Amino acid sequence: MASHPWSEQDFIAGNPCLDFINTVGDTDKNRIRERLVDDQSLLTWARYSGMVGQGDRVQLSADALPRAISLREQLYSLFSGLARHTPTAGAWIQLRKELAEAVAHSELNTSDPASMRLEGADLCSRIALDALALLHSGQLHRLKECARCTWLFLDQSKAQRRRWCRTEACGNRARVERHYRKRSAREQD
Ligand SMILES: [Zn+2]
């Protein structure tokens, strides 16, 4: 399977950890259209997202891809629950192990005293630490899941009425469906 060509359309969440959760999806609530198909797609995602800097050398361990996908689904379970205001303790227990590992091997980045942050040694650790930062960010009231697919995002709109991951994707599909439903209802009358 060819690597997915990442573009701005893959980074709609307003947060790198949520963008990572959105590396799989579908046009409905399935999560079967996988974009992390090989190590290369994981690496190119990491660079595109800024999680790994251009000059940054990253070594991926042999189990990096399955570990990243497993972490991603744990994160989805946790943040999807939070978006629906029904967080599950089970999702947190799974994630806790990855987080403990990430914190244990982290470094404190002191290059900017105004925003010091923990940096993970490898990609999964960086993503896990990013999730931890999001949990503490005070932004969770903006966390939403697309009304049609499983993508998550922070709704930064003033009115807090964003419903879709992307209006031109899920928003349009919903609009077209509404149109056909109305038309078939009219035809049945
Ligand atoms: Zn969507």
Side-chain angles (χ1 to χ4, degrees):
M1 201 186 293
S3 281
H4 179 70
W6 303 108
S7 73
E8 276 178 24
Q9 297 182 351
D10 299 300
F11 296 85
I12 55 85
N15 175 274
C17 161
L18 298 180
D19 282 326
F20 181 67
I21 293 171
N22 298 345
T23 54
V24 66
D26 206 338
T27 54
D28 55 20
K29 291 291 176 187
N30 281 308
R31 287 174 69 73
I32 51 176
R33 285 194 188 174
E34 182 60 79
R35 284 159 180 135
L36 297 181
V37 292
D38 51 20
D39 284 1
Q40 188 58 29
S41 54
L42 182 59
L43 265 181
T44 51
W45 179 87
R47 293 213 189 279
Y48 203 111
S49 69
M51 196 76 78
V52 166
Q54 287 307 324
D56 234 353
R57 283 218 181 150
V58 192
Q59 295 279 346
L60 290 186
S61 57
D63 66 343
L65 186 64
R67 196 175 139 219
I69 289 177
S70 161
L71 171 64
R72 183 189 67 196
E73 295 313 303
Q74 288 167 21
L75 289 170
Y76 172 66
S77 184
L78 178 71
F79 284 105
S80 173
L82 287 168
R84 292 193 307 267
H85 307 292
T86 55
T88 58
W92 171 248
I93 289 166
Q94 272 197 319
L95 187 59
R96 198 166 52 187
K97 194 169 154 272
E98 192 74 57
L99 275 171
E101 192 81 2
V103 171
H105 296 104
S106 64
E107 299 286 342
L108 187 64
N109 182 333
T110 55
S111 58
D112 178 6
S115 64
M116 280 199 251
R117 58 197 166 84
L118 290 179
E119 276 190 351
D122 63 20
L123 184 55
C124 277
S125 297
R126 289 182 196 196
I127 293 164
L129 290 173
D130 207 73
L132 190 60
L134 178 58
L135 285 172
H136 287 279
S137 67
Q139 294 283 305
L140 291 181
H141 62 290
R142 298 187 182 278
L143 178 64
K144 287 186 182 173
E145 180 164 332
C146 175
R148 202 183 153 95
C149 74
T150 63
W151 279 24
L152 299 173
F153 54 86
L154 294 177
D155 182 357
Q156 301 291 6
S157 69
K158 213 170 176 185
Q160 295 268 292
R161 289 221 184 118
R162 180 173 164 190
R163 293 192 67 202
W164 316 111
C165 55
R166 290 189 298 124
T167 311
E168 64 276 24
C170 283
N172 255 352
R173 284 187 203 104
R175 192 173 51 77
V176 169
E177 266 178 15
R178 262 198 318 274
H179 172 76
Y180 279 107
R181 265 203 307 273
K182 269 190 198 162
R183 204 171 78 174
S184 72
R186 267 203 310 274
E187 281 167 6
Q188 280 168 14
D189 283 344

